[in-house]
Amino acid sequence: MKQIYNSDKPIFAKAQDRFNRNKFSNRIANTITKRIDNDGLVIGLYGIWGEGKSSVLNMIEEELITNDDVLIVKFNPWRFKDEDDLILNFLKNISEVLNRELNTKSEKFVDFLKKYGSVTSIFNFDLSKLSENFSDTQLEDLKNRVNDFLQESDKKIVVIIDDIDRLDKQELFSLFKLIKLTGDFSKTYYILSFDDEMVASAIGERFAEGNRNSGHNFLEKIIQVPLRIPQALSKDLLNYTFELLNNILSENEIDLGTNEEQNIGYLISQNILLKIKTPRLAIRYSNSLSFLIPLLKGEVNISDLILFEGVKIFYPKHYEFIKDSPEYFIESYNDKFSNGKDNSKIEEFKSKIEELNSKLSKNEKKAILNLLKNLFPYIKEAIENYSFRNASQDWTKGKRITSLKYFNRYFIYSVPKDDISDVYFDSYMESLDSKTFDEILAETNEILKNVDALEYLNKISFYEDNLDWNSRQIISKIVCQNENKFEGMKGGAFMFGFSNPKSQAAITISRLLLKHNNYPEKLEFSKYLMTNEIPFEFSKEINRWLKVGNTEDEKTVKSSDMKLLDNILLERASLDCSINNTNLFEKYENNIFSLLEIWYEKNTKELREYINELINLNSKIVSKITYALTSTIYSSSNPNPYKIDFKKDSFELLKKYCDIDEFYSILIKEYSTEIGSEEAIFFDTNEGQDNINAMRQFVHWYDLESKLRITEVVEN
């Protein structure tokens, strides 16, 4: 793997210059080499953190070393323990550079030996011990000797000191004391690199005023030539940033597509570039993405990740607000109880954003708002005339940060434990044609041990448009095999449809079949789904969703063929009852309404004969028939379905299926005592219903109808 992190090291050659600092560097170097005056000169190279000062110094050095009359001393002041140590080593560095050069010219070397003695005792005392009991007299003597040494040389000395702004306050003061002390050395040039605002602020605290102005005044006495590093052009910084980002995408084999690349490029240039004021900030931005993209490739929307990292790095307070208050960014501003907007929430959001923006410039405020609107479209509902009512599915499919499902991934940089990796799921779906059904079933079982079954269905929905027929059948069978894991509310009616996990499972199968173009294949597989291979309750739920649609084209199975599927279910239930010596009202109570209606449509006479036969075999069955036709309610507040009332609708259905007068007579004959002991109670949606009260409610409806018939006869 290529190195995709950028070390933030300065450049060392003019050929590497990306920001047109070469001419500036050459000008400084030429000023030194062409200067005739032998007096020393202190040049200050000012620039903010990461702006490229070290790179400029290296280009200056590159130019200077081509001149034989210039010797370079690169001095690192932070290596020394105290002020004496700093001064002594500084002077030693200069002498050593000159000494190495003088060794090449014997005539000069002899003259210096005559004046100062041997090379090893050129200062007449041991330099390593000079910091002990070092007096001002000794310092002045040493300084004069080095200055004499410089005057005898035909060379210019350039002392380069970088990263001065990294020193602490005491170290800064010691360094500038050294420069002030030696600034009048002959033929000596100092190039000092630092952030002048930072250094002035630190030094200023040493003076009575204790402010930055005092620090600047001090610097003015030391720095004779203050130069500010040329600011990098925006276009150069933008191109540099794009180059770094392109390297990351290429290394991770990510192709955003031409349109998306242009869109992201525009958003970066308009809204992030103004915060990238130095090359170091561009490197910091790209390095963050270099770390995150391999972690999240395939798990999030890479375009969103690129932009959101810009928010995190350059607008950290906004980033924290998003992380701590996601409700303002991934939820609608439409009022849940009206067609209008949630004005209270809108005002809260605007107030918080205004507070965060208080210290930003006008352009920065505009930039962060543009980024947020692109990343979190819902906020357009708060600040513009937008309404997003059906967009969340597309955002989820696109793995966008504004999706509730994907939001946290952009903060935890991984897939939550209760979620499925998109990269893994891609592999899972691709293997449908290469693995056996048992292997896929076992793998699915492992998936469903760790994640919610609905999440599995959500993942499937992202692939359903592009699956071949074999894969559609496999996934449908897998869902059927695991239908017990889509428990949801108990019972067979699944009255809450879309909110019920088992209904969602059936809907998924229906959609998979709907999007297959070969209708005969689709119909044949639909027939299979109604057979004993599938649990009856789930077959019935699939049956329900196969017929949903406003037009024939919107239905998975044509209306004319649904009767065929209905009859398969009816025959299956009837055969099961026959084998187990029971009846539909007891064995299939949860589905009794739909089964009776199917039978009624198929053969009314046959249905009536079936019910009459049941009553003839056991007259007390009328009680169970009544209770089976009593409405059942499914409530989120109650874990189990429960009976409520035998309603007028049930009474009307029973009239269709049998002789209601005969049914009433048998009911009274068998249960007159129980029925007559109390009045019927109607529960509406409350609990408390029982078998006896259901029969009383039947009698209630029967009596009302009898009175109505008598009234009609009298009136006629």
Side-chain angles (χ1 to χ4, degrees):
M1 188 182 215
K2 286 169 55 182
Q3 174 59 263
I4 57 175
Y5 293 98
N6 298 280
S7 64
D8 192 23
K9 290 182 179 180
I11 64 170
F12 291 92
K14 299 170 186 176
Q16 299 171 299
D17 180 30
R18 299 291 304 272
F19 305 105
N20 297 311
R21 272 79 177 267
N22 185 18
K23 290 182 179 179
F24 176 77
S25 303
N26 284 347
R27 175 59 180 151
I28 295 174
N30 291 336
T31 297
I32 293 171
T33 56
K34 294 179 180 180
R35 190 166 183 259
I36 299 175
D37 195 333
N38 286 335
D39 290 342
L41 195 64
V42 181
I43 300 170
L45 184 62
Y46 298 161
I48 63 174
W49 178 84
E51 195 167 10
K53 299 184 296 296
S54 297
S55 295
V56 169
L57 288 178
N58 288 339
M59 287 190 287
I60 294 172
E61 182 181 357
E62 182 187 16
E63 182 68 20
L64 289 174
I65 60 177
T66 62
N67 191 309
D68 293 335
D69 294 327
V70 175
L71 298 177
I72 297 173
V73 176
K74 299 183 78 171
F75 188 63
N76 299 320
W78 49 87
R79 293 181 178 177
F80 309 112
K81 61 183 180 180
D82 55 36
E83 192 171 291
D84 285 352
D85 199 29
L86 175 72
I87 294 172
L88 290 173
N89 279 280
F90 173 74
L91 296 174
K92 182 180 178 181
N93 282 358
I94 293 177
S95 67
E96 287 179 343
V97 169
L98 290 168
N99 197 33
R100 283 196 300 270
E101 194 278 333
L102 288 173
N103 279 329
T104 63
K105 294 188 176 182
S106 58
E107 69 280 12
K108 286 281 186 179
F109 188 61
V110 171
D111 291 340
F112 272 89
L113 287 180
K114 288 179 180 178
K115 186 171 184 178
Y116 294 115
S118 68
V119 174
T120 56
S121 60
I122 195 125
F123 298 106
N124 293 330
F125 39 79
D126 187 355
L127 283 175
S128 65
K129 298 180 179 179
L130 269 178
S131 60
E132 301 176 6
N133 303 315
F134 189 53
S135 67
D136 290 340
T137 301
Q138 290 172 310
L139 173 62
E140 187 64 25
D141 183 45
L142 180 58
K143 173 190 169 185
N144 289 336
R145 292 186 183 192
V146 172
N147 196 33
D148 287 347
F149 195 88
L150 289 167
Q151 289 174 349
E152 290 291 337
S153 172
D154 59 356
K155 304 292 184 181
K156 293 179 179 180
I157 298 292
V158 177
V159 180
I160 297 176
I161 308 178
D162 194 8
D163 294 328
I164 292 174
D165 41 23
R166 295 184 181 182
L167 300 173
D168 63 30
K169 296 174 185 177
Q170 180 56 47
E171 290 170 335
L172 280 171
F173 199 74
S174 296
L175 177 64
F176 282 110
K177 181 179 178 181
L178 165 66
I179 295 168
K180 187 174 182 181
L181 178 70
T182 60
D184 59 351
F185 272 173
S186 177
K187 304 177 185 177
T188 304
Y189 296 83
Y190 294 85
I191 305 178
L192 311 178
S193 165
F194 57 93
D195 182 336
D196 57 317
E197 291 297 322
M198 184 184 298
V199 170
S201 178
I203 290 179
E205 297 179 10
R206 291 290 300 264
F207 298 95
E209 296 86 347
N211 56 35
R212 188 174 298 178
N213 287 335
S214 301
H216 279 297
N217 291 335
F218 178 84
L219 289 177
E220 288 176 3
K221 296 175 183 177
I222 303 294
I223 308 297
Q224 296 163 296
V225 184
L227 300 174
R228 190 163 299 280
I229 188 171
Q231 185 175 355
L233 296 176
S234 293
K235 68 179 182 66
D236 293 331
L237 284 170
L238 182 63
N239 289 334
Y240 184 53
T241 302
F242 285 163
E243 180 180 316
L244 296 175
L245 293 179
N246 285 333
N247 289 341
I248 298 168
L249 295 177
S250 176
E251 177 64 20
N252 287 280
E253 298 180 344
I254 294 173
D255 182 5
L256 297 178
T258 303
N259 290 338
E260 187 62 12
E261 286 176 355
Q262 290 177 349
N263 180 51
I264 295 302
Y266 175 79
L267 290 169
I268 290 174
S269 66
Q270 295 299 307
N271 306 300
I272 293 179
L273 178 61
L274 80 167
K275 300 291 283 187
I276 302 178
K277 299 183 182 298
T278 69
R280 184 170 293 169
L281 287 174
I283 291 172
R284 183 184 174 203
Y285 178 39
S286 67
N287 279 348
S288 181
L289 289 169
S290 293
F291 176 78
L292 292 178
I293 286 178
L295 285 177
L296 294 172
K297 178 184 175 183
E299 307 294 355
V300 301
N301 184 293
I302 295 299
S303 296
D304 277 7
L305 181 63
I306 291 171
L307 295 179
F308 193 56
E309 276 305 292
V311 174
K312 183 181 79 173
I313 292 173
F314 301 115
Y315 300 92
K317 291 184 178 179
H318 292 76
Y319 171 86
E320 291 298 326
F321 174 47
I322 295 166
K323 181 177 70 173
D324 296 337
S325 304
E327 66 273 13
Y328 293 107
F329 298 92
I330 62 175
E331 295 177 8
S332 175
Y333 284 82
N334 290 321
D335 194 301
K336 297 177 182 178
F337 305 104
S338 71
N339 293 324
K341 297 290 183 71
D342 186 342
N343 293 320
S344 175
K345 181 179 177 181
I346 290 174
E347 291 307 314
E348 288 175 5
F349 171 74
K350 288 182 176 179
S351 175
K352 292 178 183 294
I353 287 295
E354 185 176 347
E355 181 181 350
L356 289 170
N357 289 351
S358 60
K359 295 184 179 180
L360 299 182
S361 68
K362 181 179 179 181
N363 287 337
E364 288 172 336
K365 291 177 183 178
K366 181 180 178 182
I368 183 58
L369 188 59
N370 285 339
L371 286 174
L372 294 181
K373 286 193 296 185
N374 185 275
L375 289 165
F376 305 100
Y378 270 135
I379 68 172
K380 291 184 179 181
E381 294 183 341
I383 58 180
E384 299 177 10
N385 188 26
Y386 272 83
S387 181
F388 297 98
R389 299 203 178 264
N390 299 302
S392 59
Q393 181 68 18
D394 290 337
W395 294 335
T396 299
K397 193 170 184 178
K399 305 177 185 179
R400 300 205 56 193
I401 189 173
T402 193
S403 164
L404 174 62
K405 170 178 168 47
Y406 284 92
F407 179 79
N408 284 333
R409 292 192 185 183
Y410 290 80
F411 294 92
I412 63 176
Y413 307 138
S414 63
V415 180
K417 291 182 179 179
D418 59 349
D419 201 351
I420 312 174
S421 162
D422 291 345
V423 174
Y424 165 75
F425 209 77
D426 283 343
S427 174
Y428 168 82
M429 295 299 293
E430 289 172 1
S431 71
L432 293 177
D433 289 329
S434 60
K435 292 182 179 179
T436 67
F437 180 80
D438 287 342
E439 288 174 333
I440 298 169
L441 180 60
E443 188 173 0
T444 306
N445 289 338
E446 288 302 312
I447 291 174
L448 295 176
K449 286 179 182 178
N450 300 308
V451 300
D452 184 79
L454 278 179
E455 177 57 25
Y456 174 80
L457 296 179
N458 289 336
K459 291 286 188 185
I460 294 296
S461 68
F462 298 149
Y463 298 84
E464 61 187 30
D465 288 342
N466 301 312
L467 294 176
D468 59 30
W469 177 231
N470 182 58
S471 297
R472 293 176 188 276
Q473 293 179 90
I474 291 173
I475 289 297
S476 298
K477 290 179 180 180
I478 289 291
V479 172
C480 290
Q481 290 281 343
N482 286 282
E483 60 85 28
N484 61 315
K485 295 183 175 68
F486 302 94
E487 187 59 34
M489 296 180 194
K490 297 180 179 179
F494 303 105
M495 295 175 66
F496 288 85
F498 288 100
S499 64
N500 187 286
K502 197 158 283 191
S503 291
Q504 284 288 357
I507 291 169
T508 297
I509 292 174
S510 175
R511 283 204 311 263
L512 287 171
L513 300 187
L514 176 64
K515 295 181 179 180
H516 181 54
N517 294 325
N518 189 316
Y519 185 76
E521 289 181 343
K522 179 164 54 178
L523 178 60
E524 194 63 29
F525 188 70
S526 297
K527 289 160 63 176
Y528 159 79
L529 294 172
M530 300 299 108
T531 66
N532 286 329
E533 295 290 327
I534 314 299
F536 185 87
E537 298 283 2
F538 195 52
S539 288
K540 185 66 182 66
E541 186 65 8
I542 295 172
N543 179 282
R544 174 191 175 196
W545 291 102
L546 291 177
K547 65 182 72 173
V548 170
N550 294 324
T551 66
E552 288 299 308
D553 290 338
E554 293 175 354
K555 296 176 181 179
T556 304
V557 175
K558 297 175 182 178
S559 299
S560 57
D561 292 322
M562 277 308 305
K563 292 183 179 181
L564 174 62
L565 302 186
D566 290 342
N567 289 334
I568 294 174
L569 278 178
L570 176 61
E571 291 169 8
R572 174 181 171 184
S574 299
L575 179 60
D576 180 40
C577 289
S578 177
I579 293 172
N580 291 283
N581 195 28
T582 184
N583 60 80
L584 294 177
F585 295 97
E586 294 181 271
K587 183 70 182 291
Y588 289 92
E589 181 182 334
N590 288 333
N591 295 285
I592 194 63
F593 288 99
S594 57
L595 288 174
L596 292 178
E597 195 61 23
I598 291 171
W599 203 339
Y600 181 82
E601 292 291 331
K602 177 185 177 184
N603 192 323
T604 303
K605 180 181 177 182
E606 191 177 88
L607 172 60
R608 285 177 168 270
E609 290 175 351
Y610 174 75
I611 295 175
N612 288 336
E613 183 179 350
L614 289 178
I615 294 174
N616 291 334
L617 289 172
N618 179 12
S619 58
K620 288 187 177 295
I621 194 70
V622 292
S623 171
K624 294 180 179 179
I625 292 174
T626 305
Y627 198 65
L629 293 176
T630 299
S631 300
T632 302
I633 194 168
Y634 299 83
S635 170
S636 58
S637 62
N638 193 315
N640 296 303
Y642 57 89
K643 295 285 188 179
I644 44 174
D645 292 327
F646 183 89
K647 297 182 179 181
K648 180 66 180 302
D649 291 343
S650 295
F651 179 79
E652 294 297 329
L653 286 174
L654 195 52
K655 284 169 58 179
K656 287 171 53 177
Y657 305 146
C658 68
D659 185 327
I660 199 68
D661 294 322
E662 183 178 346
F663 189 91
Y664 170 80
S665 298
I666 295 172
L667 192 70
I668 293 298
K669 177 183 177 182
E670 296 292 341
Y671 297 99
S672 60
T673 301
E674 293 89 337
I675 293 172
S677 62
E678 293 181 20
E679 292 291 325
I681 301 172
F682 286 86
F683 296 96
D684 193 15
T685 59
N686 297 321
E687 297 182 66
Q689 180 69 293
D690 60 25
N691 195 314
I692 300 300
N693 191 68
M695 290 189 289
R696 291 177 186 145
Q697 290 176 338
F698 166 81
V699 172
H700 167 80
W701 297 117
Y702 183 86
D703 289 344
L704 282 179
E705 184 168 280
S706 296
K707 290 177 182 178
L708 182 60
R709 282 186 288 178
I710 293 172
T711 301
E712 290 176 351
V713 170
V714 171
E715 289 178 351
N716 292 331

